[in-house]
Amino acid sequence: MQSHQIKSFEEYQNACQRSVSDPEGFWSDIASTFTWRKKWNTTLEWNFEEPNVKWFKGGKLNITENCLDRHLKTRGNKLALIWEPNDPKERFVRYTYRELYEKVCQFANVLKKNGVQKGDRVCIYMPMIPELAFAVLACARIGAVHSVIFAGFSAVSMSDRINDAGAKMVLTSDGLNRGAKQIPVKRVVDEALESCPSVEKVIVVERLGWAVNMVEGRDVWFHDEVKDVAKDCPAEEMDAEDMLFILYTSGSTGKPKGVVHTCGGYMVYAQYSFMNVFQYQESDVFWCTADIGWVTGHTYLLYGPLLSGATTLMFEGVPTYPDNGRFWQVCDKFGVNIFYTAPTAIRSLMGGDIDDVLSYSLDSLKVLGSVGEPINEEAWHWYHTHVGKERCPVVDTWWQTETGGIMISSLANVTPTKPAHAAFPLPGIQPILVDAEGNEITDNEVEGYLCVKFPWPGMIRTTYGDHERCRLSYFSTYKGLYFTGDGAKRDENGWYRIIGRVDDVINVSGHRFGTAEIEEAINHNEHVVESAVVGFPHDVKGQGIYAFVICKDKPEREDYLRAEIIETVVEKIGKIAKPDKIQIVSGLPKTRSGKIMRRILRKVAEGDTSNLGDTSTLLDPDVVDEIKAGAL
Ligand code: PRX
């Protein structure tokens, strides 16, 4: 199974070459290492115009047979999942592959008993407890499409996503622990479901032991349902191109879109990228700190490691609870070998006492990873020096919800690393840089828009319920190319450095928000006439949210109004999208055609008003002076 793990730079170069000269042979060889009920007829069918991308057409499989069943003979007693609770005093739990198999089958039987069938969409809104992992895999086992919603999103966000997917069931818990706080999750679900007619059943897992409202005929407790179900559940046979999951993500326009991934291609890409980027070895303990509510949790906490027969660690809590040493304490406790986190977490810990990291040995660590946003050099060096003790390569992994898995990254100890550079594409990935007209820039020492010119198995297939949106968002900007929405540089040696989004998407602590989405939320506040949101550099979050807001009347107390606006955003989207700064303005810099000149607002938000460029085309140039004077 590990035969496609690249071991040297030469092998990497050879793999890259073959993946271009014979992509079908290349991916077909990798796919052959999995368990298929029936082999595919066609390896790849594609065009980026519609787009229509099909990998391993005609192949039949179930991803959970590859995550679980096929390991039982050789790895039945190997640890599959280690769960570390929020409170370090609470006992951790470990599951072998055999135990995980049984837990998933039981959960799958509970789903079936409650009416879920192949193709149904199931929404999962749960804390980071083992049942979340079981639930996701249980859906995949019976061919239901999971749509995990990060449990920090608000009721409104949840109901939007449930309605878009037409979900039949919601899986949730009574509440959740996050550091010192406890959050009433079920109450949020109840509120969301007031406007979700498609949901027939809610299954509630007990985490806090709270008394919660249970709606007769709709809500059931998981612990009641699981009592008498079997520990075996046959895996549903799926087509390679059947939907595996939907994951909602923000774009530059409208509401979040449901990115669709399919069974066969996603499986192959999740495992291949996991084994190669992290260079997982059979006895390693792998820890990805991301929540399963995001794509990183899907691919590198669950599917990638389990497909590889790895031991994966799942953590319920936050890096700062009970203190700033928690990550490192957990690494020492379980002898974590590969640690994968986000720059924002590193930056939040860098500000603390250095003894919080130096008091742990961290001897077991071999490889460090970074994901979600550009890692600045200062954070890279801190991570490399104090966590990795200058002995562990840091793989800076660039990818997206839409790509399914890591696209550009060093392969640990195989290809070189360079601070703040994602470096090289994985074999099979063909990134290019283009100029504004879409012409490929072939030189080095250049900057451009990052596109991909050839399909890869883990790529997005559609946006749920609206294929045209998928085409418009990713395949229409540059003809014949997948456009990432990111800008990137390629240095003199061909190393990629991702700069960040070039569209109206802000990346806050590694999470994406469309500026339009936040503006829409702000505009719901009764005092607000109009708003414009831009990102600004933030020491910990990478980007912060800066909102310029026009109000109906001049508020008596601006601080009250700001608090109210924040409340509105929390209600519409969730705490994670709270604006950091709100400037009340009397107008926005608009062109005569009514377009907001965000370039000016970005400059003001960055605190750089020295050169705002040409403002003569503005409808009301004076407004710029007022905005400059009132900048926060
Ligand atoms: O801008 C890039 C940034 O995160 C975006 C994708 O966000 P999301 O779909 O939420 O997935 C995050 C986790 C895969 C990208 O368009 N991004 C992600 N990783 C990196 C990055 N920017 C720079 N360097 C990275 N390593």
Side-chain angles (χ1 to χ4, degrees), residues 295-296 371-374 396-402 486 498 501 507 510 512:
V295 74
T296 310
V371 61
E373 51 174 315
D396 177 358
T397 64
W398 173 83
W399 59 297
Q400 309 178 296
T401 305
E402 294 85 347
D486 280 327
I498 312 299
R501 304 291 304 193
N507 190 328
R512 271 159 67 172

Side-chain angles (χ1 to χ4, degrees), residues 343-344 347-348 350 376 378-379 536-544:
T344 187
R347 288 192 299 263
S348 77
M350 266 166 67
N376 49 312
E378 199 190 348
F536 70 98
H538 188 287
D539 285 350
V540 174
K541 301 181 189 179
Q543 279 192 297

Side-chain angles (χ1 to χ4, degrees), residues 246-481:
I246 307 172
L247 190 55
Y248 285 84
T249 191
S250 298
S252 48
T253 54
K255 291 208 184 283
K257 44 193 175 240
V259 171
V260 169
H261 285 288
T262 54
C263 297
Y266 176 82
M267 169 179 79
V268 170
Y269 199 67
Q271 196 264 354
Y272 179 76
S273 55
F274 172 77
M275 287 301 282
N276 279 294
V277 170
F278 300 107
Q279 291 288 309
Y280 182 84
Q281 303 299 313
E282 186 62 45
S283 57
D284 287 345
V285 175
F286 178 83
W287 182 13
C288 163
T289 67
D291 193 290
I292 293 179
W294 308 108
V295 74
T296 310
H298 280 58
T299 308
Y300 299 111
L301 196 159
L302 274 187
Y303 285 116
L306 295 177
L307 286 163
S308 309
T311 301
T312 184
L313 196 150
M314 178 177 187
F315 173 45
E316 184 187 29
V318 294
T320 48
Y321 180 79
D323 57 49
N324 279 346
R326 188 66 192 280
F327 270 177
W328 324 126
Q329 178 249 334
V330 175
C331 282
D332 276 3
K333 180 172 174 181
F334 297 107
V336 170
N337 305 105
I338 308 172
F339 178 73
Y340 189 35
T341 197
T344 187
I346 298 164
R347 288 192 299 263
S348 77
L349 298 177
M350 266 166 67
D353 189 340
I354 191 68
D355 284 340
D356 286 331
V357 51
L358 295 186
S359 42
Y360 296 95
S361 95
L362 301 178
D363 276 352
S364 55
L365 289 175
K366 297 196 298 192
V367 174
L368 302 177
S370 168
V371 61
E373 51 174 315
I375 178 165
N376 49 312
E377 296 203 16
E378 199 190 348
W380 193 98
H381 285 293
W382 188 90
Y383 196 27
H384 184 248
T385 309
H386 300 300
V387 181
K389 315 290 181 203
E390 297 185 349
R391 150 192 105 234
C392 307
V394 176
V395 289
D396 177 358
T397 64
W398 173 83
W399 59 297
Q400 309 178 296
T401 305
E402 294 85 347
T403 69
I406 297 166
M407 302 284 281
I408 302 182
S409 168
S410 300
L411 311 185
N413 293 315
V414 170
T415 62
T417 58
K418 181 172 172 183
H421 285 69
F424 301 119
L426 266 66
I429 304 304
Q430 300 187 37
I432 60 168
L433 295 181
V434 300
D435 62 21
E437 280 74 49
N439 303 310
E440 180 169 357
I441 310 171
T442 49
D443 298 341
N444 283 342
E445 280 199 280
V446 288
E447 185 174 329
Y449 300 106
L450 182 63
C451 297
V452 188
K453 69 174 177 193
F454 196 83
W456 64 101
M459 72 183 292
I460 180 175
R461 298 300 196 268
T462 188
T463 44
Y464 189 80
D466 190 352
H467 192 64
E468 178 61 3
R469 194 161 175 210
C470 173
R471 189 186 71 79
L472 283 174
S473 307
Y474 308 106
F475 298 92
S476 70
T477 318
Y478 303 112
K479 199 172 164 353
L481 299 174

